Amino acid sequence: MTFEFVNSSFDMKSYFHIFFCFIILNSCSSNVKECDTRDAMVVSARKEASEIGLMMMKKGGNAFDAMIATELALAVVYPSAGNLGGGGFMVYRLSDGSVGSLDYREKAPIKATKKMFLNEINEIIPKSSTYGALSIGIPGTIAGIFRVHEKFGSLPIEEVFKPVIALANNGYKINNKQSERFKKYLPEIRKINSTNSMYSREYKAGDTIKNIQLANLLIRIMQNGPDEFYKGESSKKLIKFLKSKGSIISAKDLEKYKAIWRTPITFQYDDLKIISMPPPSSGGICINQIMKMIEPYDLKKLGHNSSDYIKLLVESFKRSYADRAVYMGDPDFNDIPYKKITNQNYLSKKMKQFSFQKPTPPHEIYSTNTEIKESLETTHYSIVDPFGNSVSATTTLNSSFGSKLFCDELGIFLNNQMNDFAIKSGHPNIYGLIGGEINSIQAEKRMLSSMSPTIIEKNNNFYMTLGTPGGSTIITSVIQTILNVHEFSMGMEESVNSPRFHHQLFPDVIKIEKNKFNDMLLIDLENDGYDLEIVTPYGRVDGILALEGCLEGGSDNRGNDYAIGF
Ligand code: DON
């Protein structure tokens, strides 16, 4: 983990780590909870974004000012996922204990139709929902941050925007992981953008990228408010660009877009109160279902990442992902039977045929089959302010660089979130997730998400904020991180970096992170009837844990994520 205590150049985490390793020789990575900071913290995918977020709180601003600054800074320095051309979700908890959530998820355009990605014989038109103009949903990020500012912002919007504008003008240095990502997607980006488009060039690690058009767009938005993006000069530029690429998004679509405050999903697990994202995310409900399915078991006794622990979690994951496909979609278009599917009797019945001896066959849980996967990108950040407010936000273009369409005049990538709909009943999206009518495409509907920004309370106090990218794996990564802390007494850093596994019913395999589990355990699971798929490490959980009078950050070492505080 990278952690910085501001005004201090030495790496406090490493110092403590070496110290602990020295005195507790054989447990140097285990159950060490370290105070990083006392009052405030930001953990995000990039140092610059965490720093700008923290700067807001140093100026006297709150977690919401920091959220806006961090979200915008990620659009500058982390353009594969940070965005103005995408959307996201935010969960908050105020110092008085009140909670809420904001949905700034993309919507389908007015002209969208159920079969827009199918040909005359009902086959999916390859790549149509993932690449290029038709894959774009109406962006929600600018509406989202202004919703946040009008309700909770304490600094003038100029103070929040200015450092981000400076960052876009002065540029940021790309790191190794980013340069690899740019290289990987360059052919696709080049193919649908002009050759002199800024991301059609090849960048090496260490190069500085300035995004002057984005800086100018941010200046206009700062001066004219969200209408600039949805109704003003910039919206006209965006519509002109989208039309030229064959998009069905109209000026009316932008005009009508609204971010929506929603009541979060809250439930009790032992002495924790979990607060997470409601539909149109499946995150909160699935986390609720899964944690309630496993609550009756003694997880400590099973042992962290033991074969029985993995089996129990995997079987609960499978049952919840089946319900995800059947019952979850945009709540403004469907009645989601939340009470029914989180009822304890209902969940106990689902777990009735669970056995540590053998896997439950998928057809006994759900009756379709499917398989597909791809490489992905989203980003999460967590914030705690000195006033006791906390924020958990996940934002995305969906795939890396979204649709790959880059609007040069505005300096932004556009999302490919339309693929999160069930574009054909029972057909998997890029994460292998299936869905039916409830998540079918309809004009102005929001596509179902797995993003799970989550906050946890213990004894009526703030305890934890966390979330992660990772498509369908988001839900299971968030749950394992919570359990690592709560059941296995890990600190936040150890918890986010701990090995992870995943199952989503279809395909019927346990995804296991490569080189992180011992071979005997894997052989045991296979002998007991599980198919395994060894995958490269996935997700980047960024979280903050409250310790006695201080905070511990966890920034996932699978990325270049960065925690900073004071
Ligand atoms: O909303 C969703 O569930 C997806 N569009 C999130 C994509 C994602 O996490 C990609 N990240 N690696």
Side-chain angles (χ1 to χ4, degrees):
M1 161 191 187
T2 314
F3 172 77
E4 193 182 325
F5 187 74
V6 283
N7 299 331
S8 158
S9 59
F10 84 100
D11 182 344
M12 202 163 106
K13 271 252 131 128
S14 313
Y15 176 83
F16 276 116
H17 198 73
I18 293 163
F19 178 70
F20 274 99
C21 288
F22 192 70
I23 56 167
I24 315 170
L25 277 173
N26 53 8
S27 65
C28 67
S29 67
S30 201
N31 301 346
V32 178
K33 291 180 180 165
E34 302 163 12
C35 274
D36 289 321
T37 182
R38 218 186 54 215
D39 295 325
M41 187 177 263
V42 182
V43 193
S44 84
R46 281 283 304 208
K47 182 170 190 248
E48 297 86 341
S50 298
E51 281 172 345
I52 281 188
L54 196 77
M55 185 196 292
M56 296 303 121
M57 298 193 278
K58 286 186 88 188
K59 283 181 176 180
N62 61 24
F64 300 97
D65 301 310
M67 179 235 161
I68 299 168
T70 307
E71 175 95 20
L72 293 176
L74 285 166
V76 177
V77 297
Y78 198 66
S80 55
N83 66 82
L84 267 65
F89 298 124
M90 185 267 282
V91 170
Y92 69 82
R93 179 182 181 279
L94 302 183
S95 53
D96 66 5
S98 53
V99 298
S101 69
L102 182 69
D103 162 1
Y104 52 104
R105 178 76 162 165
E106 299 90 329
K107 282 168 59 172
I110 296 165
K111 289 204 184 114
T113 55
K114 186 171 174 177
K115 296 191 171 182
M116 63 186 277
F117 298 115
L118 307 183
N119 65 17
E120 322 70 58
I121 51 166
N122 268 352
E123 285 166 345
I124 290 169
I125 305 163
K127 286 190 131 187
S128 56
S129 69
T130 55
Y131 184 56
L134 284 183
S135 67
I136 305 170
I138 317 304
T141 299
I142 291 299
I145 59 166
F146 276 90
R147 265 316 229 196
V148 170
H149 193 258
E150 77 189 3
K151 190 161 177 173
F152 294 119
S154 70
L155 294 175
I157 203 77
E158 291 77 14
E159 282 210 47
V160 183
F161 269 58
K162 274 185 180 157
V164 185
I165 293 166
L167 182 64
N169 272 326
N170 297 333
Y172 68 100
K173 265 205 167 65
I174 68 165
N175 58 37
N176 281 327
K177 281 192 180 136
Q178 274 185 311
S179 78
E180 279 162 25
R181 196 173 302 137
F182 285 139
K183 202 182 263 168
K184 178 171 172 192
Y185 293 100
L186 189 58
E188 280 187 294
I189 291 173
R190 273 190 179 154
K191 207 167 156 192
I192 50 171
N193 293 292
S194 73
T195 42
N196 48 14
S197 174
M198 66 177 277
Y199 285 105
S200 294
R201 274 170 246 155
E202 199 170 332
Y203 293 103
K204 313 183 290 303
D207 286 351
T208 297
I209 301 187
K210 297 181 182 181
N211 192 339
I212 309 298
Q213 297 307 333
L214 178 54
N216 292 339
L217 171 62
L218 289 170
I219 292 170
R220 294 195 298 273
I221 295 173
M222 177 180 77
Q223 289 166 343
N224 304 326
D227 279 0
E228 174 64 32
F229 189 85
Y230 292 100
K231 295 179 184 162
E233 185 202 334
S234 305
S235 79
K236 293 189 177 74
K237 290 183 200 291
L238 181 57
I239 293 296
K240 193 169 148 223
F241 169 77
L242 290 172
K243 285 237 155 81
S244 75
K245 297 288 181 183
S247 167
I248 54 172
I249 294 176
S250 65
K252 187 132 201 136
D253 278 310
L254 289 180
E255 252 172 58
K256 285 186 81 179
Y257 185 86
K258 283 200 169 33
I260 302 172
W261 293 109
R262 299 199 187 268
T263 307
I265 301 292
T266 51
F267 66 97
Q268 205 69 28
Y269 176 87
D270 287 349
D271 58 348
L272 305 181
K273 180 179 168 193
I274 318 267
I275 304 141
S276 192
M277 195 63 210
S281 178
S282 58
I285 297 183
C286 289
I287 292 173
N288 185 343
Q289 286 194 306
I290 292 164
M291 293 192 77
K292 284 298 187 188
M293 281 190 253
I294 62 177
E295 195 178 29
Y297 296 83
D298 186 342
L299 303 186
K300 285 188 193 79
K301 209 162 152 201
L302 296 180
H304 183 246
N305 283 355
S306 67
S307 156
D308 281 352
Y309 177 76
I310 294 174
K311 288 177 196 167
L312 174 65
L313 263 64
V314 157
E315 291 300 326
S316 65
F317 295 165
K318 284 160 66 174
R319 287 153 174 81
S320 181
Y321 278 84
D323 277 4
R324 183 191 190 278
V326 179
Y327 296 115
M328 297 178 218
D330 184 344
D332 298 337
F333 282 69
N334 310 283
D335 284 328
I336 317 283
Y338 165 63
K339 284 223 164 80
K340 174 186 150 187
I341 62 179
T342 54
N343 174 282
Q344 195 59 52
N345 287 337
Y346 172 87
L347 296 171
S348 306
K349 242 195 208 153
K350 270 189 172 292
M351 285 300 275
K352 220 171 190 155
Q353 85 275 47
F354 164 68
S355 146
F356 286 110
Q357 267 65 53
K358 62 175 177 50
T360 312
H363 65 262
E364 284 181 23
I365 300 173
Y366 187 90
S367 57
T368 320
N369 210 344
T370 179
E371 185 156 6
I372 200 165
K373 44 198 176 297
E374 201 192 87
S375 164
L376 339 147
E377 200 58 51
T378 290
T379 190
H380 177 85
Y381 53 94
S382 292
I383 302 176
V384 172
D385 74 15
F387 313 108
N389 306 306
S390 48
V391 159
S392 183
T394 314
T395 185
T396 187
L397 289 165
N398 196 19
S399 305
S400 279
F401 306 102
S403 63
K404 318 292 186 277
L405 268 181
F406 184 77
C407 177
D408 285 291
E409 252 194 304
L410 303 180
I412 61 171
F413 276 105
L414 280 312
N415 69 84
N416 63 345
Q417 219 70 245
M418 289 297 283
N419 183 258
D420 271 349
F421 279 116
I423 59 172
K424 181 178 174 181
S425 190
H427 182 88
N429 69 7
I430 52 175
Y431 309 103
L433 291 168
I434 47 170
E437 191 51 38
I438 195 158
N439 188 32
S440 63
I441 305 173
Q442 272 177 268
E444 299 194 73
K445 190 175 177 183
R446 281 156 151 90
M447 52 297 276
L448 184 63
S449 172
S450 304
M451 293 190 292
S452 310
T454 300
I455 294 180
I456 298 173
E457 214 176 76
K458 190 172 176 173
N459 304 326
N460 298 322
N461 292 317
F462 165 77
Y463 185 49
M464 208 190 299
T465 165
L466 78 163
T468 181
S472 56
T473 64
I474 292 173
I475 294 164
T476 60
S477 295
V478 166
I479 290 170
Q480 287 170 74
T481 310
I482 297 170
L483 295 175
N484 291 344
V485 172
H486 179 68
E487 299 280 359
F488 302 104
S489 308
M490 291 183 201
M492 202 70 213
E493 179 187 355
E494 187 182 2
S495 177
V496 304
N497 291 326
S498 189
R500 296 196 272 262
F501 57 88
H502 173 75
H503 202 302
Q504 58 187 54
L505 189 62
F506 298 117
D508 184 15
V509 292
I510 309 178
K511 286 185 201 286
I512 298 266
E513 283 191 309
K514 196 174 174 178
N515 296 334
K516 295 198 177 194
F517 292 81
N518 79 52
D519 290 346
M520 278 315 293
L521 174 84
L522 304 185
I523 291 168
D524 269 2
L525 288 167
E526 280 178 332
N527 287 343
D528 285 338
Y530 285 95
D531 284 333
L532 308 183
E533 182 189 347
I534 308 300
V535 296
T536 49
Y538 58 84
R540 267 159 233 157
V541 184
D542 283 347
I544 303 172
L545 177 67
L547 303 176
E548 299 260 314
C550 64
L551 301 168
E552 190 205 350
S555 56
D556 204 316
N557 62 16
R558 293 164 182 84
N560 296 112
D561 299 37
Y562 203 81
I564 188 168
F566 63 76

